[in-house]
Amino acid sequence: NYDGYGAKVSTVQALRGQSGWLCLSVLSVDALGMVEDYLLLAGVTDAGQALHEEDARKLLCLPAEVLEADLLMHPPAALDDDLKRLEHEQLATVNTRNLGYFDAEVQKLDAWADDLKVGLENEVKELDREIKDVRRTATVAATLEEKLQCQKRQRELENKRNQLRRNIFDRQDEIDGQRKKLIEALESRLDRKMQTTAVFTIQWSLQ
């Protein structure tokens, strides 16, 4: 009963004199390790026109009289189509959120990998600079002992540099391993499971 509401709702007012169907379902989505429930309210007119979800909600706020159901009446296919549309839209929202979570985790891994790699590469550059300094010192050394000391120091620095270079490859393998674990973990958590449970289906007529 539109007049019994006591306020003007223009979009609902346009439905006066019409009849249709409403269907409420619960969409349960199991993703990212948690289960979330969403209420889906689908509505159509007898002419097959889908109602905006907000208008369907407003219809349920109006004072109403419950009449005996006609068991020969069946909801039109348009009602199921509208419910499927709402499911698709909600799942798209969930997927967008999950994509954002995935991107954030990948960015964290990439930032950690870049910091690690840059740190090691800077150490290698510093050792390269020290090796050049030792070589220059060796060329102007006045005694054999000084030249030998320079050669020993150069060898120590080169060994340390070579070890750092090997560490870079080892760290890259570690990063690749972490990336593989991240992908596997996210794949298992993004293995979305969904279930739709019907709550009620009613036929309405707006006076």
Side-chain angles (χ1 to χ4, degrees), residues 156-171:
E156 291 173 358
L157 292 172
E158 288 176 342
N159 288 338
K160 187 175 181 180
R161 181 188 61 185
N162 293 338
Q163 181 61 47
L164 275 176
R165 285 174 173 169
R166 285 191 291 270
N167 286 344
I168 291 176
F169 289 109
D170 291 341
R171 291 296 179 269

Side-chain angles (χ1 to χ4, degrees), residues 41-181:
L41 181 61
V44 295
T45 66
D46 284 339
Q49 179 66 41
L51 301 182
H52 189 281
E53 188 174 3
E54 186 61 27
D55 290 338
R57 292 179 184 272
K58 290 176 180 177
L59 276 179
L60 291 179
C61 295
L62 300 179
E65 178 185 0
V66 180
L67 303 178
E68 184 178 351
D70 185 345
L71 298 180
L72 299 180
M73 296 293 294
H74 297 285
L79 184 65
D80 187 56
D81 291 341
D82 194 46
L83 180 60
K84 290 180 179 177
R85 176 187 63 82
L86 293 174
E87 288 181 3
H88 178 77
E89 290 177 355
Q90 186 59 61
L91 290 175
T93 300
V94 172
N95 286 340
T96 299
R97 184 197 62 192
N98 291 348
L99 178 60
Y101 174 81
F102 181 85
D103 287 341
E105 291 300 308
V106 170
Q107 287 175 6
K108 289 179 185 177
L109 178 61
D110 288 341
W112 172 71
D114 290 343
D115 290 344
L116 186 63
K117 186 177 180 181
V118 168
L120 290 173
E121 288 177 344
N122 286 338
E123 289 186 53
V124 170
K125 290 179 181 178
E126 179 61 24
L127 287 172
D128 284 338
R129 186 190 62 78
E130 290 186 44
I131 290 171
K132 288 180 181 179
D133 289 343
V134 171
R135 286 175 178 170
R136 282 195 292 267
T137 301
T139 58
V140 296
T143 65
L144 179 60
E145 287 79 6
E146 289 177 350
K147 286 185 178 292
L148 285 174
Q149 288 299 323
C150 289
Q151 288 297 320
K152 287 182 180 179
R153 178 57 179 165
Q154 179 179 335
R155 184 180 63 186
E156 291 173 358
L157 292 172
E158 288 176 342
N159 288 338
K160 187 175 181 180
R161 181 188 61 185
N162 293 338
Q163 181 61 47
L164 275 176
R165 285 174 173 169
R166 285 191 291 270
N167 286 344
I168 291 176
F169 289 109
D170 291 341
R171 291 296 179 269
Q172 187 61 54
D173 291 339
E174 180 182 348
I175 292 167
D176 292 341
Q178 291 287 344
R179 190 181 302 277
K180 180 180 178 181
K181 289 180 180 179

